[in-house]
Amino acid sequence: AMRHYGESVEYSPTRIDELEERLEAINRLKRKYGGTIAAALDYAARAAAELDAIEHSEERLAALRRQEDDLLHSVGELAGRLSEGRRQAGERLARSIERELADLRMDGARFGVDITRTPDPEGGAYVGGERLAFDATGVDRVEFMLSANPGEPLRPLQKVASGGETARIMLALKSVLGRV
């Protein structure tokens, strides 16, 4: 039986060299990627997944762009509703402040709430057919405006109000907002 087995075994120095090279490659991979064959295979699986993600990045990018566009439409819808609510509240606030200012000896004063928006055609939210810049507070930039004397145009409150006017306006704001 041994003779028969010995005759059936092929001795191939090149095959032995190939196997030794392969064992050395496996040992190098084990040392480099975690010390075990399982760790090396785990690293190979992660690398293959990363390569697949890179190879399919165009499809992923297109899907993310579609998702971004959908989200910008949703943000725009919510921002539009918020903006309309702000506009209505601003009108009510302005009327209430003007009544309070009249009681505080500023009869001719006019108060306004200026709501502005900034266009952003590259990445803004879709609001009413245009793209507007937005942040966590919405698409609006709100500024209080004041005309302390009759006939004067409304101007930014921070630029035109004197110390006494600012104190009366703050009192009016506290009074109106306190009732709310």
PDB file of all heavy atoms in Angstrom, residues 136-172:
ATOM      1  N   ALA A 136     -31.849  77.691   9.919  1.00  0.00           N
ATOM      2  CA  ALA A 136     -32.738  77.021  10.870  1.00  0.00           C
ATOM      3  C   ALA A 136     -33.961  77.851  11.213  1.00  0.00           C
ATOM      4  O   ALA A 136     -34.959  77.313  11.700  1.00  0.00           O
ATOM      5  CB  ALA A 136     -31.969  76.675  12.147  1.00  0.00           C
ATOM      6  N   THR A 137     -33.920  79.168  10.961  1.00  0.00           N
ATOM      7  CA  THR A 137     -35.056  80.026  11.292  1.00  0.00           C
ATOM      8  C   THR A 137     -35.970  80.282  10.104  1.00  0.00           C
ATOM      9  O   THR A 137     -36.966  80.977  10.244  1.00  0.00           O
ATOM     10  CB  THR A 137     -34.565  81.380  11.843  1.00  0.00           C
ATOM     11  OG1 THR A 137     -33.829  82.055  10.824  1.00  0.00           O
ATOM     12  CG2 THR A 137     -33.714  81.187  13.085  1.00  0.00           C
ATOM     13  N   GLY A 138     -35.649  79.766   8.933  1.00  0.00           N
ATOM     14  CA  GLY A 138     -36.507  79.945   7.764  1.00  0.00           C
ATOM     15  C   GLY A 138     -35.812  80.736   6.673  1.00  0.00           C
ATOM     16  O   GLY A 138     -34.590  80.845   6.631  1.00  0.00           O
ATOM     17  N   VAL A 139     -36.631  81.323   5.778  1.00  0.00           N
ATOM     18  CA  VAL A 139     -36.098  82.072   4.638  1.00  0.00           C
ATOM     19  C   VAL A 139     -36.133  83.575   4.867  1.00  0.00           C
ATOM     20  O   VAL A 139     -35.627  84.334   4.053  1.00  0.00           O
ATOM     21  CB  VAL A 139     -36.859  81.731   3.337  1.00  0.00           C
ATOM     22  CG1 VAL A 139     -36.637  80.285   2.944  1.00  0.00           C
ATOM     23  CG2 VAL A 139     -38.334  82.058   3.452  1.00  0.00           C
ATOM     24  N   ASP A 140     -36.745  84.012   5.953  1.00  0.00           N
ATOM     25  CA  ASP A 140     -36.958  85.438   6.194  1.00  0.00           C
ATOM     26  C   ASP A 140     -35.859  86.057   7.036  1.00  0.00           C
ATOM     27  O   ASP A 140     -35.312  85.421   7.934  1.00  0.00           O
ATOM     28  CB  ASP A 140     -38.291  85.657   6.926  1.00  0.00           C
ATOM     29  CG  ASP A 140     -39.471  85.090   6.167  1.00  0.00           C
ATOM     30  OD1 ASP A 140     -39.498  85.224   4.942  1.00  0.00           O
ATOM     31  OD2 ASP A 140     -40.361  84.511   6.819  1.00  0.00           O
ATOM     32  N   ARG A 141     -35.597  87.313   6.756  1.00  0.00           N
ATOM     33  CA  ARG A 141     -34.769  88.158   7.615  1.00  0.00           C
ATOM     34  C   ARG A 141     -35.709  89.265   8.087  1.00  0.00           C
ATOM     35  O   ARG A 141     -36.242  90.020   7.280  1.00  0.00           O
ATOM     36  CB  ARG A 141     -33.584  88.782   6.868  1.00  0.00           C
ATOM     37  CG  ARG A 141     -32.627  87.786   6.265  1.00  0.00           C
ATOM     38  CD  ARG A 141     -31.936  86.957   7.350  1.00  0.00           C
ATOM     39  NE  ARG A 141     -31.473  85.691   6.816  1.00  0.00           N
ATOM     40  CZ  ARG A 141     -32.046  84.511   7.052  1.00  0.00           C
ATOM     41  NH1 ARG A 141     -33.097  84.411   7.814  1.00  0.00           N
ATOM     42  NH2 ARG A 141     -31.560  83.410   6.543  1.00  0.00           N
ATOM     43  N   VAL A 142     -35.914  89.336   9.387  1.00  0.00           N
ATOM     44  CA  VAL A 142     -36.899  90.258   9.956  1.00  0.00           C
ATOM     45  C   VAL A 142     -36.164  91.422  10.616  1.00  0.00           C
ATOM     46  O   VAL A 142     -35.200  91.220  11.346  1.00  0.00           O
ATOM     47  CB  VAL A 142     -37.785  89.528  10.989  1.00  0.00           C
ATOM     48  CG1 VAL A 142     -38.798  90.483  11.605  1.00  0.00           C
ATOM     49  CG2 VAL A 142     -38.495  88.345  10.334  1.00  0.00           C
ATOM     50  N   GLU A 143     -36.665  92.624  10.338  1.00  0.00           N
ATOM     51  CA  GLU A 143     -36.067  93.816  10.932  1.00  0.00           C
ATOM     52  C   GLU A 143     -37.201  94.775  11.310  1.00  0.00           C
ATOM     53  O   GLU A 143     -38.129  94.981  10.546  1.00  0.00           O
ATOM     54  CB  GLU A 143     -35.119  94.484   9.931  1.00  0.00           C
ATOM     55  CG  GLU A 143     -34.373  95.655  10.499  1.00  0.00           C
ATOM     56  CD  GLU A 143     -33.293  96.154   9.543  1.00  0.00           C
ATOM     57  OE1 GLU A 143     -33.436  96.018   8.328  1.00  0.00           O
ATOM     58  OE2 GLU A 143     -32.292  96.691  10.061  1.00  0.00           O
ATOM     59  N   PHE A 144     -37.091  95.355  12.509  1.00  0.00           N
ATOM     60  CA  PHE A 144     -38.060  96.345  12.943  1.00  0.00           C
ATOM     61  C   PHE A 144     -37.689  97.691  12.331  1.00  0.00           C
ATOM     62  O   PHE A 144     -36.523  98.080  12.315  1.00  0.00           O
ATOM     63  CB  PHE A 144     -38.098  96.457  14.465  1.00  0.00           C
ATOM     64  CG  PHE A 144     -38.669  95.241  15.151  1.00  0.00           C
ATOM     65  CD1 PHE A 144     -38.241  94.894  16.421  1.00  0.00           C
ATOM     66  CD2 PHE A 144     -39.621  94.446  14.552  1.00  0.00           C
ATOM     67  CE1 PHE A 144     -38.762  93.782  17.076  1.00  0.00           C
ATOM     68  CE2 PHE A 144     -40.141  93.332  15.184  1.00  0.00           C
ATOM     69  CZ  PHE A 144     -39.709  93.006  16.447  1.00  0.00           C
ATOM     70  N   MET A 145     -38.711  98.386  11.866  1.00  0.00           N
ATOM     71  CA  MET A 145     -38.515  99.675  11.201  1.00  0.00           C
ATOM     72  C   MET A 145     -39.275 100.746  11.990  1.00  0.00           C
ATOM     73  O   MET A 145     -40.305 100.464  12.610  1.00  0.00           O
ATOM     74  CB  MET A 145     -39.040  99.626   9.767  1.00  0.00           C
ATOM     75  CG  MET A 145     -38.510  98.462   8.943  1.00  0.00           C
ATOM     76  SD  MET A 145     -36.791  98.606   8.571  1.00  0.00           S
ATOM     77  CE  MET A 145     -36.854  99.702   7.188  1.00  0.00           C
ATOM     78  N   LEU A 146     -38.786 101.999  11.931  1.00  0.00           N
ATOM     79  CA  LEU A 146     -39.404 103.079  12.679  1.00  0.00           C
ATOM     80  C   LEU A 146     -39.344 104.371  11.881  1.00  0.00           C
ATOM     81  O   LEU A 146     -38.357 104.661  11.218  1.00  0.00           O
ATOM     82  CB  LEU A 146     -38.679 103.287  14.017  1.00  0.00           C
ATOM     83  CG  LEU A 146     -39.190 104.443  14.883  1.00  0.00           C
ATOM     84  CD1 LEU A 146     -40.562 104.123  15.443  1.00  0.00           C
ATOM     85  CD2 LEU A 146     -38.200 104.742  15.994  1.00  0.00           C
ATOM     86  N   SER A 147     -40.426 105.115  11.974  1.00  0.00           N
ATOM     87  CA  SER A 147     -40.456 106.498  11.510  1.00  0.00           C
ATOM     88  C   SER A 147     -40.973 107.296  12.698  1.00  0.00           C
ATOM     89  O   SER A 147     -42.162 107.255  13.024  1.00  0.00           O
ATOM     90  CB  SER A 147     -41.388 106.653  10.309  1.00  0.00           C
ATOM     91  OG  SER A 147     -41.576 108.023  10.017  1.00  0.00           O
ATOM     92  N   ALA A 148     -40.067 107.999  13.377  1.00  0.00           N
ATOM     93  CA  ALA A 148     -40.434 108.702  14.602  1.00  0.00           C
ATOM     94  C   ALA A 148     -41.239 109.969  14.327  1.00  0.00           C
ATOM     95  O   ALA A 148     -42.017 110.404  15.173  1.00  0.00           O
ATOM     96  CB  ALA A 148     -39.186 109.046  15.404  1.00  0.00           C
ATOM     97  N   ASN A 149     -41.078 110.557  13.156  1.00  0.00           N
ATOM     98  CA  ASN A 149     -41.756 111.809  12.826  1.00  0.00           C
ATOM     99  C   ASN A 149     -42.632 111.633  11.599  1.00  0.00           C
ATOM    100  O   ASN A 149     -42.270 110.905  10.664  1.00  0.00           O
ATOM    101  CB  ASN A 149     -40.720 112.909  12.561  1.00  0.00           C
ATOM    102  CG  ASN A 149     -39.836 113.138  13.768  1.00  0.00           C
ATOM    103  OD1 ASN A 149     -40.335 113.299  14.870  1.00  0.00           O
ATOM    104  ND2 ASN A 149     -38.531 113.127  13.557  1.00  0.00           N
ATOM    105  N   PRO A 150     -43.778 112.315  11.561  1.00  0.00           N
ATOM    106  CA  PRO A 150     -44.663 112.204  10.404  1.00  0.00           C
ATOM    107  C   PRO A 150     -43.938 112.642   9.130  1.00  0.00           C
ATOM    108  O   PRO A 150     -43.145 113.581   9.134  1.00  0.00           O
ATOM    109  CB  PRO A 150     -45.813 113.169  10.728  1.00  0.00           C
ATOM    110  CG  PRO A 150     -45.752 113.358  12.208  1.00  0.00           C
ATOM    111  CD  PRO A 150     -44.325 113.180  12.592  1.00  0.00           C
ATOM    112  N   GLY A 151     -44.176 111.917   8.044  1.00  0.00           N
ATOM    113  CA  GLY A 151     -43.590 112.252   6.767  1.00  0.00           C
ATOM    114  C   GLY A 151     -42.257 111.591   6.491  1.00  0.00           C
ATOM    115  O   GLY A 151     -41.798 111.574   5.355  1.00  0.00           O
ATOM    116  N   GLU A 152     -41.614 111.077   7.495  1.00  0.00           N
ATOM    117  CA  GLU A 152     -40.341 110.395   7.299  1.00  0.00           C
ATOM    118  C   GLU A 152     -40.609 108.951   6.866  1.00  0.00           C
ATOM    119  O   GLU A 152     -41.574 108.337   7.303  1.00  0.00           O
ATOM    120  CB  GLU A 152     -39.530 110.363   8.597  1.00  0.00           C
ATOM    121  CG  GLU A 152     -38.903 111.659   8.983  1.00  0.00           C
ATOM    122  CD  GLU A 152     -38.028 111.517  10.231  1.00  0.00           C
ATOM    123  OE1 GLU A 152     -37.850 110.379  10.720  1.00  0.00           O
ATOM    124  OE2 GLU A 152     -37.548 112.553  10.713  1.00  0.00           O
ATOM    125  N   PRO A 153     -39.726 108.405   6.023  1.00  0.00           N
ATOM    126  CA  PRO A 153     -39.907 106.996   5.641  1.00  0.00           C
ATOM    127  C   PRO A 153     -39.486 106.076   6.793  1.00  0.00           C
ATOM    128  O   PRO A 153     -38.734 106.476   7.681  1.00  0.00           O
ATOM    129  CB  PRO A 153     -38.961 106.832   4.451  1.00  0.00           C
ATOM    130  CG  PRO A 153     -37.915 107.879   4.642  1.00  0.00           C
ATOM    131  CD  PRO A 153     -38.610 109.031   5.329  1.00  0.00           C
ATOM    132  N   LEU A 154     -39.974 104.868   6.748  1.00  0.00           N
ATOM    133  CA  LEU A 154     -39.556 103.869   7.736  1.00  0.00           C
ATOM    134  C   LEU A 154     -38.087 103.518   7.497  1.00  0.00           C
ATOM    135  O   LEU A 154     -37.664 103.320   6.363  1.00  0.00           O
ATOM    136  CB  LEU A 154     -40.403 102.602   7.612  1.00  0.00           C
ATOM    137  CG  LEU A 154     -41.846 102.699   8.088  1.00  0.00           C
ATOM    138  CD1 LEU A 154     -42.618 101.447   7.699  1.00  0.00           C
ATOM    139  CD2 LEU A 154     -41.899 102.901   9.578  1.00  0.00           C
ATOM    140  N   ARG A 155     -37.333 103.470   8.596  1.00  0.00           N
ATOM    141  CA  ARG A 155     -35.912 103.114   8.533  1.00  0.00           C
ATOM    142  C   ARG A 155     -35.631 102.084   9.624  1.00  0.00           C
ATOM    143  O   ARG A 155     -36.389 101.967  10.581  1.00  0.00           O
ATOM    144  CB  ARG A 155     -35.050 104.350   8.753  1.00  0.00           C
ATOM    145  CG  ARG A 155     -35.155 105.324   7.613  1.00  0.00           C
ATOM    146  CD  ARG A 155     -34.040 106.347   7.690  1.00  0.00           C
ATOM    147  NE  ARG A 155     -34.318 107.407   6.747  1.00  0.00           N
ATOM    148  CZ  ARG A 155     -34.389 108.687   7.066  1.00  0.00           C
ATOM    149  NH1 ARG A 155     -34.164 109.069   8.306  1.00  0.00           N
ATOM    150  NH2 ARG A 155     -34.652 109.580   6.155  1.00  0.00           N
ATOM    151  N   PRO A 156     -34.504 101.372   9.493  1.00  0.00           N
ATOM    152  CA  PRO A 156     -34.177 100.369  10.517  1.00  0.00           C
ATOM    153  C   PRO A 156     -34.142 100.996  11.916  1.00  0.00           C
ATOM    154  O   PRO A 156     -33.507 102.023  12.135  1.00  0.00           O
ATOM    155  CB  PRO A 156     -32.796  99.864  10.108  1.00  0.00           C
ATOM    156  CG  PRO A 156     -32.735 100.116   8.636  1.00  0.00           C
ATOM    157  CD  PRO A 156     -33.529 101.380   8.412  1.00  0.00           C
ATOM    158  N   LEU A 157     -34.817 100.369  12.831  1.00  0.00           N
ATOM    159  CA  LEU A 157     -34.941 100.849  14.205  1.00  0.00           C
ATOM    160  C   LEU A 157     -33.582 101.095  14.838  1.00  0.00           C
ATOM    161  O   LEU A 157     -33.362 102.111  15.492  1.00  0.00           O
ATOM    162  CB  LEU A 157     -35.733  99.825  15.025  1.00  0.00           C
ATOM    163  CG  LEU A 157     -35.932 100.108  16.495  1.00  0.00           C
ATOM    164  CD1 LEU A 157     -36.810 101.337  16.676  1.00  0.00           C
ATOM    165  CD2 LEU A 157     -36.570  98.919  17.176  1.00  0.00           C
ATOM    166  N   GLN A 158     -32.652 100.197  14.648  1.00  0.00           N
ATOM    167  CA  GLN A 158     -31.350 100.320  15.297  1.00  0.00           C
ATOM    168  C   GLN A 158     -30.563 101.522  14.805  1.00  0.00           C
ATOM    169  O   GLN A 158     -29.661 101.996  15.484  1.00  0.00           O
ATOM    170  CB  GLN A 158     -30.527  99.058  15.100  1.00  0.00           C
ATOM    171  CG  GLN A 158     -30.134  98.804  13.664  1.00  0.00           C
ATOM    172  CD  GLN A 158     -29.427  97.477  13.491  1.00  0.00           C
ATOM    173  OE1 GLN A 158     -29.590  96.583  14.308  1.00  0.00           O
ATOM    174  NE2 GLN A 158     -28.679  97.344  12.433  1.00  0.00           N
ATOM    175  N   LYS A 159     -30.916 102.066  13.642  1.00  0.00           N
ATOM    176  CA  LYS A 159     -30.158 103.190  13.099  1.00  0.00           C
ATOM    177  C   LYS A 159     -30.781 104.543  13.414  1.00  0.00           C
ATOM    178  O   LYS A 159     -30.090 105.549  13.390  1.00  0.00           O
ATOM    179  CB  LYS A 159     -30.020 103.040  11.582  1.00  0.00           C
ATOM    180  CG  LYS A 159     -29.159 101.865  11.188  1.00  0.00           C
ATOM    181  CD  LYS A 159     -29.016 101.781   9.701  1.00  0.00           C
ATOM    182  CE  LYS A 159     -28.148 100.575   9.338  1.00  0.00           C
ATOM    183  NZ  LYS A 159     -28.027 100.420   7.893  1.00  0.00           N
ATOM    184  N   VAL A 160     -32.093 104.589  13.652  1.00  0.00           N
ATOM    185  CA  VAL A 160     -32.749 105.890  13.780  1.00  0.00           C
ATOM    186  C   VAL A 160     -33.290 106.203  15.166  1.00  0.00           C
ATOM    187  O   VAL A 160     -33.574 107.359  15.464  1.00  0.00           O
ATOM    188  CB  VAL A 160     -33.904 106.037  12.749  1.00  0.00           C
ATOM    189  CG1 VAL A 160     -33.370 105.952  11.348  1.00  0.00           C
ATOM    190  CG2 VAL A 160     -34.991 105.004  12.991  1.00  0.00           C
ATOM    191  N   ALA A 161     -33.448 105.227  16.024  1.00  0.00           N
ATOM    192  CA  ALA A 161     -34.077 105.486  17.325  1.00  0.00           C
ATOM    193  C   ALA A 161     -33.069 106.077  18.298  1.00  0.00           C
ATOM    194  O   ALA A 161     -31.958 105.572  18.453  1.00  0.00           O
ATOM    195  CB  ALA A 161     -34.661 104.197  17.886  1.00  0.00           C
ATOM    196  N   SER A 162     -33.474 107.142  18.956  1.00  0.00           N
ATOM    197  CA  SER A 162     -32.646 107.722  20.014  1.00  0.00           C
ATOM    198  C   SER A 162     -32.812 106.889  21.280  1.00  0.00           C
ATOM    199  O   SER A 162     -33.623 105.967  21.323  1.00  0.00           O
ATOM    200  CB  SER A 162     -33.083 109.168  20.278  1.00  0.00           C
ATOM    201  OG  SER A 162     -34.384 109.167  20.859  1.00  0.00           O
ATOM    202  N   GLY A 163     -32.087 107.238  22.320  1.00  0.00           N
ATOM    203  CA  GLY A 163     -32.174 106.489  23.567  1.00  0.00           C
ATOM    204  C   GLY A 163     -33.568 106.526  24.167  1.00  0.00           C
ATOM    205  O   GLY A 163     -34.101 105.510  24.606  1.00  0.00           O
ATOM    206  N   GLY A 164     -34.177 107.714  24.173  1.00  0.00           N
ATOM    207  CA  GLY A 164     -35.532 107.842  24.722  1.00  0.00           C
ATOM    208  C   GLY A 164     -36.553 107.093  23.883  1.00  0.00           C
ATOM    209  O   GLY A 164     -37.472 106.463  24.411  1.00  0.00           O
ATOM    210  N   GLU A 165     -36.404 107.176  22.562  1.00  0.00           N
ATOM    211  CA  GLU A 165     -37.331 106.458  21.677  1.00  0.00           C
ATOM    212  C   GLU A 165     -37.158 104.955  21.838  1.00  0.00           C
ATOM    213  O   GLU A 165     -38.157 104.219  21.880  1.00  0.00           O
ATOM    214  CB  GLU A 165     -37.067 106.872  20.219  1.00  0.00           C
ATOM    215  CG  GLU A 165     -37.487 108.298  19.921  1.00  0.00           C
ATOM    216  CD  GLU A 165     -36.982 108.775  18.573  1.00  0.00           C
ATOM    217  OE1 GLU A 165     -36.013 108.210  18.044  1.00  0.00           O
ATOM    218  OE2 GLU A 165     -37.577 109.738  18.052  1.00  0.00           O
ATOM    219  N   THR A 166     -35.927 104.530  21.980  1.00  0.00           N
ATOM    220  CA  THR A 166     -35.683 103.101  22.163  1.00  0.00           C
ATOM    221  C   THR A 166     -36.333 102.607  23.451  1.00  0.00           C
ATOM    222  O   THR A 166     -36.945 101.531  23.476  1.00  0.00           O
ATOM    223  CB  THR A 166     -34.167 102.807  22.203  1.00  0.00           C
ATOM    224  OG1 THR A 166     -33.585 103.254  20.984  1.00  0.00           O
ATOM    225  CG2 THR A 166     -33.894 101.334  22.374  1.00  0.00           C
ATOM    226  N   ALA A 167     -36.248 103.397  24.509  1.00  0.00           N
ATOM    227  CA  ALA A 167     -36.868 103.002  25.779  1.00  0.00           C
ATOM    228  C   ALA A 167     -38.381 102.899  25.625  1.00  0.00           C
ATOM    229  O   ALA A 167     -39.003 101.950  26.114  1.00  0.00           O
ATOM    230  CB  ALA A 167     -36.509 104.015  26.861  1.00  0.00           C
ATOM    231  N   ARG A 168     -38.991 103.875  24.934  1.00  0.00           N
ATOM    232  CA  ARG A 168     -40.448 103.819  24.747  1.00  0.00           C
ATOM    233  C   ARG A 168     -40.854 102.662  23.834  1.00  0.00           C
ATOM    234  O   ARG A 168     -41.871 101.999  24.069  1.00  0.00           O
ATOM    235  CB  ARG A 168     -40.954 105.148  24.184  1.00  0.00           C
ATOM    236  CG  ARG A 168     -40.950 106.235  25.264  1.00  0.00           C
ATOM    237  CD  ARG A 168     -41.564 107.493  24.769  1.00  0.00           C
ATOM    238  NE  ARG A 168     -40.468 108.402  24.405  1.00  0.00           N
ATOM    239  CZ  ARG A 168     -40.623 109.566  23.834  1.00  0.00           C
ATOM    240  NH1 ARG A 168     -41.825 110.011  23.532  1.00  0.00           N
ATOM    241  NH2 ARG A 168     -39.591 110.313  23.551  1.00  0.00           N
ATOM    242  N   ILE A 169     -40.054 102.398  22.818  1.00  0.00           N
ATOM    243  CA  ILE A 169     -40.368 101.281  21.911  1.00  0.00           C
ATOM    244  C   ILE A 169     -40.256  99.962  22.670  1.00  0.00           C
ATOM    245  O   ILE A 169     -41.098  99.075  22.517  1.00  0.00           O
ATOM    246  CB  ILE A 169     -39.447 101.311  20.683  1.00  0.00           C
ATOM    247  CG1 ILE A 169     -39.803 102.529  19.815  1.00  0.00           C
ATOM    248  CG2 ILE A 169     -39.570 100.039  19.868  1.00  0.00           C
ATOM    249  CD1 ILE A 169     -38.782 102.860  18.766  1.00  0.00           C
ATOM    250  N   MET A 170     -39.228  99.829  23.500  1.00  0.00           N
ATOM    251  CA  MET A 170     -39.081  98.607  24.304  1.00  0.00           C
ATOM    252  C   MET A 170     -40.256  98.434  25.256  1.00  0.00           C
ATOM    253  O   MET A 170     -40.764  97.325  25.436  1.00  0.00           O
ATOM    254  CB  MET A 170     -37.763  98.624  25.089  1.00  0.00           C
ATOM    255  CG  MET A 170     -36.530  98.445  24.227  1.00  0.00           C
ATOM    256  SD  MET A 170     -36.547  96.912  23.278  1.00  0.00           S
ATOM    257  CE  MET A 170     -36.541  95.724  24.577  1.00  0.00           C
ATOM    258  N   LEU A 171     -40.697  99.528  25.847  1.00  0.00           N
ATOM    259  CA  LEU A 171     -41.859  99.469  26.726  1.00  0.00           C
ATOM    260  C   LEU A 171     -43.094  99.043  25.944  1.00  0.00           C
ATOM    261  O   LEU A 171     -43.873  98.206  26.412  1.00  0.00           O
ATOM    262  CB  LEU A 171     -42.085 100.837  27.402  1.00  0.00           C
ATOM    263  CG  LEU A 171     -43.218 100.917  28.410  1.00  0.00           C
ATOM    264  CD1 LEU A 171     -43.001  99.922  29.547  1.00  0.00           C
ATOM    265  CD2 LEU A 171     -43.341 102.330  28.940  1.00  0.00           C
ATOM    266  N   ALA A 172     -43.267  99.604  24.751  1.00  0.00           N
ATOM    267  CA  ALA A 172     -44.398  99.226  23.902  1.00  0.00           C
ATOM    268  C   ALA A 172     -44.320  97.762  23.528  1.00  0.00           C
ATOM    269  O   ALA A 172     -45.326  97.017  23.567  1.00  0.00           O
ATOM    270  CB  ALA A 172     -44.446 100.097  22.655  1.00  0.00           C
TER     271      ALA A 172
END
